[in-house]
Structures are given as C-alpha cells and as structure tokens.
Amino acid sequence: MRIEFARFVFALCAATAAASAPAAPAPGGPLGYDDARHLLNRVGFGATQSEVERVARMTREQAVRKLLADTRTAAVTPPPDWVGSAEALRYPRAGEKATDIEKKMFQQQQVREGLELRGWWVGEMLATPSPLTERMTLFWHNHFVSSQQKVKLAELMYRQNVTLRANALGNFGDMLHAIARDPAMVVYLDSVQNRKGTPNENFAREVMELFTLGEGNYTEQDVKEAARAFTGWSLDRATGQFMFRRFIHDDGSKTVLGRTGNLDGDQVLDILLAQPQAAEFITRKLWREFVSPDPDAVEVKRIARRFRDSNYDIKVALYALLTSDAFYAPENRGALIKSPIELVVGTLRQFDFKPEEPLPFAVAAAGMGQNLFSPPNVKGWAGQETWINSSTLLARKQFLDRVFRTDDAGATTIAATMDRRAMTPAPKQAITPAGAQDPDKMRQILFRRAMDRGLNSVQFDSTTWFAQFGVLPDAAQRTDAATRLLLATAPQAAPDPKSEPLVMVRGLVLDVSYQLK
C-alpha cells in the first residue's frame, strides 16, 4: 500500500516536473528566482519570498559560499530547564529494587522531558538564522542514530544533539570520533556491555555498515576484531560522561581491514576513515538527501575524491554537491518527498506562523512518521516513499487543513502555552475516588487539549502574506507568484485566480506537488 501510494504521487508529478522546471543557470550568471528557491528549499525549511529574492541575485557559487559561511555550531534557543540538572541524570541503577511508583514516576519524567526536548528542537528550527545548520543536524541524527526509547535519559539525547550540531558542517572524522564516545551512542549500541572476553559487536558492526563503509566493504572477522578494540568504552552513570575502563579493555593484537597491531578504538576509526569507500558512502547519502534518490556514480566519485582530499571537510563535499549541474538539473526538481519535519517546519516558516509553543508541531510531525529523537531502528528513517502511505498522507492533509482553516487576520491568537499539568506525573497514592476520572486518562485528555490549542494558535493572514509579493496588477499574477514560491513543480490542479486568497492558498498546499521539493 505504501509503495503504491508513493508511486502514485510520483506518477502524478513526474510528467510535469521536468517540463516545468527551468534550465540550470548559466555558469557564472545569477541563479534567478526558480533556482534560488530550489537551492533554499533543499538546504533549509520553506524558503520565504525575501530569502529567495536575495539569493536570486547571486551566482550559484556565491550563494553556496554564503550559506556555508553562515552556518553555526550552537543553537540560539535556550535548552529546557532540566538540562544539566542532577535530576535529569537519575538513571535506574542496576541491582536496586525500585518500587512500582518510582518506576512509573521515572518513566513519566522521561516522557515529559522527551516531549520538551522535541519541542525545543522544532523551536530551534524555526528560530535559527541558519536553516542549513539544522538540516545537517537532522541529517546526522538520522545517520548516527540513537533513540530515547533505549537510551531513556533525555539529557543524553540533548547532549548528542549538541555534539551533532557542533560538528554538522565541520570535519567528518572529528565527528565520528566524538560520536563513538557519545554517551547516548554508548548506551544505544551497547558499548557499556563490551568487555574483554565477551565482546559486544553492535557498535563495531554499525560503525562499519551504517556510519562509514556500507555493506560488502568489510568481513565478519573485521567486526569481531574491531569489537575487541572498543572494549572498555563505557559510561559513568553518576555524571553521564564517557569513561574508558582500562581493566576490561582487550589490549591484545587485532587485525582490522588488513591492519594488525594492539589496536584501540580510535585507531580502528582511523582505519575506517582511510578506506576510499568511506568518502563515497557519505557522499552517496548526501546526494540522496539533497539531489535525487538515484546517485550518479561518476559524480559521486568526483565529489568523494574532493571530500577525502580535504581530510573529510563536510563543507567541501556540500559545496561540490550544491554547485554541481546535477543539483540544478530539471529532472531532479520535485524528485524528493518532504519529510514530516520539512513539511511542518517549512509550512510554519514559509507562511510566517509564529507558534508560542512548538511542541504541538513536533507531535504533528511524529503523527506523520518522524518522531524526533526516536528513529524507528538503527538504520533511521528510510525517507522518500516510506514517508507516504494512506495513514501518513491523511495526517499531512489534516495538518494543512488545520493551519489554513481561517483567514480572520484580526482574530486574537489563542495562547499556545502548554498546560504543564498535562505532562506532570501524578503520585500513585493520589488515587481518585471510585467512579472519578483515572489520573493517566485525565493527563492524556489534557495533553490532547493542549495539542489542539497549539495547532489552533496559528492564523493565516492572507493580506499580510500576499503583501510580500509587492503590488500585483491582477489576481492571475498573484496566483502565479504564490504558485512559484510554494511548489517545486506545476500543480496537479491549477488554482482558480478568481477564488478567495485563502481558498487559493489552501488549494496549493493541499496539491500533491506541495509534498515535493
């Protein structure tokens, strides 16, 4: 069902995509409006009219240099209040017999903090002056996968997010070494259980298969030997920091990918980075993320060679990718499906919606299949056609229906502040009298109401939004301007210029082409 739905979406758009897309900009010439829009929507979230107009005057080289120069290494949004607190590191300790009440309160605390963390990241995606920074942080979150479902502590997931952002456009080798020691990763891939005599192979296997080389470029023996090198990489539960436990490390001779010695974990990572396949593996993933589902083998080798020659400078790889002819080729316009986060955050940014509380929108994206900090498995979200099935397509439509439900510019915005009681653990002893509402069910009801308030808090003001296009002589030009900004390909159903502005915009965002980028 899911694959058939995705094929249906592409079948509708494939015929118009290449025909309606402009030719690639002439080398050295200005990008122009359509190519600037294409670039910004691939590397960010929902480009605005002013952003497109500014970049349209630049050459592709100038535009990409500017985007890369403006990237950040830290968030602009303050973290949740619990970050860094001793309470946030209350791991259930092995051997201790916690009561049922204590176990439940711990679970509720982690759910509450995890929700706040998701809202915080969506808020950062909306607030950041560098959308590319958050796009790359999200890309690496789906590459170096960890999930709060196994890690438990939201504090560790927050720290990993900070590490990914700090290295998102830096050096891939440095990031690989940092992530191998990241406490959330140490827990997620069972490094805490990896010890001399009984090595755990999970991290060694995934660092080769999913993080650096890809399947077929290593042997089972390489995995076994590498696992021995990573023994002793562990976690201090009191501080949540990485700890090397020398007494459980196997310091014997090992052979990994033809290199023999008393190898430790860092030396194994360097051996992986020395393989030509590593640069090509990462370049292919970047191609699928930003260009098209089907990487061009020749171009991948060309870009990967530059990437490796730069000692894995991520900006070098991105510059080569985003200035390539393939990136701007007509056949690659509208070739990618927006992820739920791209759809939700892009819609909020493109229409200048400013929710007071971003959490409901993180929850909305989760309902479409992308729950931040909880990828489905170690391979992450597969993306593309897996985003589209009968359930998620309905969730996308319902979200867009909600945010474009009214055009009352003068209406008072409903406060989106979350009712914290909706997520506050109720003590087990505070059982309500017989016949009263169950506390857990009551919290769920309050939470759903808070989500509704958040979604209802954004109002589409067509007068203000259309003003960004300047003075347009007639309705047809107004419709053309909106269509050009919002859609990567020609709409499947041409909007009626005579319709009311809200009706016209609703028609565009509900068009199948709005799901593409």
Side-chain angles (χ1 to χ4, degrees):
M1 169 70 79
R2 181 169 57 196
I3 301 298
E4 291 174 356
F5 236 96
R7 286 175 179 167
F8 173 69
V9 171
F10 280 112
L12 284 174
C13 297
T16 55
S20 62
L31 278 171
Y33 186 95
D34 293 310
D35 294 298
R37 179 206 176 280
H38 174 69
L39 171 63
L40 292 175
N41 280 315
R42 285 289 176 90
V43 302
F45 307 97
T48 64
Q49 179 73 2
S50 60
E51 290 170 340
V52 174
E53 289 176 343
R54 182 172 63 252
V55 172
R57 297 189 290 268
M58 303 179 186
T59 65
R60 65 170 78 166
E61 293 79 11
Q62 290 170 337
V64 175
R65 287 194 191 101
K66 175 66 173 170
L67 288 168
L68 293 173
D70 290 345
T71 54
R72 302 176 53 83
T73 56
V76 299
T77 306
D81 293 340
W82 46 263
V83 168
S85 69
E87 185 68 21
L89 286 172
R90 290 275 177 91
Y91 239 131
R93 297 179 182 275
E96 289 191 356
K97 294 183 178 180
T99 66
D100 289 343
I101 295 175
E102 290 170 335
K103 290 178 182 178
K104 187 169 185 178
M105 290 185 69
F106 172 77
Q107 292 169 351
Q108 291 173 343
Q109 174 189 338
Q110 296 316 308
V111 168
R112 180 176 64 248
E113 292 180 359
L115 285 168
E116 291 176 356
L117 187 58
R118 288 159 174 81
W120 168 80
W121 195 5
V122 168
E124 176 63 15
M125 292 175 187
L126 292 170
T128 180
S130 171
L132 175 57
T133 298
E134 297 312 304
R135 284 284 283 106
M136 287 303 295
T137 304
L138 184 59
F139 171 81
W140 294 120
H141 174 49
N142 198 40
H143 180 77
F144 295 113
V145 171
S146 296
S147 171
Q148 191 187 357
Q149 289 175 307
K150 181 172 182 178
V151 175
K152 305 298 184 186
L153 295 181
E155 170 79 16
L156 299 190
M157 297 304 297
Y158 168 78
R159 292 183 191 177
Q160 184 180 82
N161 186 266
V162 169
T163 297
L164 292 175
R165 184 175 294 100
N167 294 277
L169 289 114
N171 182 276
F172 176 75
D174 291 345
M175 178 160 52
L176 179 65
H177 280 271
I179 283 295
R181 284 178 163 77
D182 175 76
M185 184 64 70
V186 168
V187 174
Y188 185 72
L189 288 182
D190 302 312
S191 290
V192 289
Q193 300 172 18
N194 191 13
R195 58 188 61 224
K196 182 178 181 179
T198 56
N200 185 294
E201 299 176 5
N202 282 2
F203 179 75
R205 183 177 306 282
E206 306 310 350
V207 77
M208 294 184 187
E209 178 182 339
L210 300 177
F211 298 169
T212 57
L213 303 181
E215 293 184 39
N217 294 307
Y218 60 89
T219 67
E220 284 298 307
Q221 188 61 30
D222 290 324
V223 172
K224 293 179 184 299
E225 295 285 273
R228 293 174 54 215
F230 288 109
T231 51
W233 287 40
S234 190
L235 181 74
D236 183 342
R237 285 178 175 264
T239 64
Q241 300 295 333
F242 173 82
M243 172 180 285
F244 177 63
R245 302 182 187 275
R246 187 175 301 278
F247 66 94
I248 58 172
H249 173 66
D250 184 338
D251 57 2
S253 180
K254 312 164 190 76
T255 300
V256 177
L257 294 169
R259 288 275 302 277
T260 300
N262 298 332
L263 304 174
D264 61 22
D266 285 313
Q267 289 172 316
V268 168
L269 296 178
D270 288 336
I271 290 171
L272 300 180
L273 290 167
Q275 308 303 307
Q277 297 92 335
E280 293 186 15
F281 180 73
I282 300 302
T283 301
R284 276 193 295 273
K285 290 198 72 168
L286 288 169
W287 185 289
R288 293 189 183 99
E289 182 76 11
F290 293 108
V291 183
S292 74
D294 302 307
D296 181 301
V298 174
E299 279 290 275
V300 165
K301 285 187 176 296
R302 178 184 70 85
I303 296 170
R305 190 178 307 113
R306 292 189 183 184
F307 187 30
R308 191 171 179 223
D309 288 348
S310 72
N311 191 32
Y312 289 100
D313 186 330
I314 296 167
K315 287 185 177 181
V316 168
L318 275 181
Y319 180 84
L321 195 71
L322 300 176
T323 57
S324 67
D325 289 340
F327 180 80
Y328 296 94
E331 62 269 21
N332 290 332
R333 308 297 179 96
L336 301 176
I337 298 175
K338 293 177 183 177
S339 73
I341 286 293
E342 288 174 309
L343 179 68
V344 171
V345 176
T347 298
L348 295 175
R349 288 193 78 255
Q350 204 155 46
F351 290 94
D352 199 30
F353 291 135
K354 299 186 184 301
E356 294 180 23
E357 174 56 63
L359 174 56
F361 300 93
V363 174
M368 301 174 199
Q370 191 171 24
N371 188 9
L372 295 176
F373 298 102
S374 290
N377 52 54
V378 71
K379 293 183 178 181
W381 297 289
Q384 278 303 94
E385 69 270 7
T386 64
W387 292 131
I388 302 296
N389 58 48
S390 56
S391 174
T392 59
L393 198 60
L394 178 61
R396 287 171 177 244
K397 181 181 183 298
Q398 289 174 334
F399 167 75
L400 295 169
D401 274 335
R402 287 288 295 274
V403 297
F404 292 99
R405 73 199 173 281
T406 183
D407 194 28
D408 184 1
T412 302
T413 301
I414 303 171
T417 304
M418 290 295 300
D419 185 340
R420 298 298 174 185
R421 290 172 298 176
M423 296 182 291
T424 301
K428 188 71 174 180
Q429 61 269 26
I431 300 297
T432 53
Q437 180 71 55
D438 176 82
D440 288 339
K441 290 183 178 179
M442 192 61 197
R443 268 194 303 275
Q444 293 172 9
I445 292 171
L446 290 173
F447 182 72
R448 285 196 294 269
R449 289 175 181 172
M451 294 296 101
D452 286 339
R453 288 198 299 276
L455 290 172
N456 288 334
S457 72
V458 293
Q459 302 275 332
F460 176 58
D461 179 353
S462 65
T463 301
T464 301
W465 191 75
F466 276 103
Q468 69 183 319
F469 298 110
V471 179
L472 297 174
D474 55 46
Q477 289 189 326
R478 179 185 63 197
T479 301
D480 289 343
T483 302
R484 200 176 182 195
L485 175 65
L486 297 175
L487 303 187
T489 69
Q492 296 306 305
D496 181 3
K498 297 179 182 179
S499 61
E500 291 294 321
L502 174 61
V503 175
M504 187 266 286
V505 170
R506 276 176 57 89
L508 289 174
V509 299
L510 292 174
D511 191 278
V512 68
S513 296
Y514 188 68
Q515 304 293 333
L516 306 178
K517 60 178 180 173

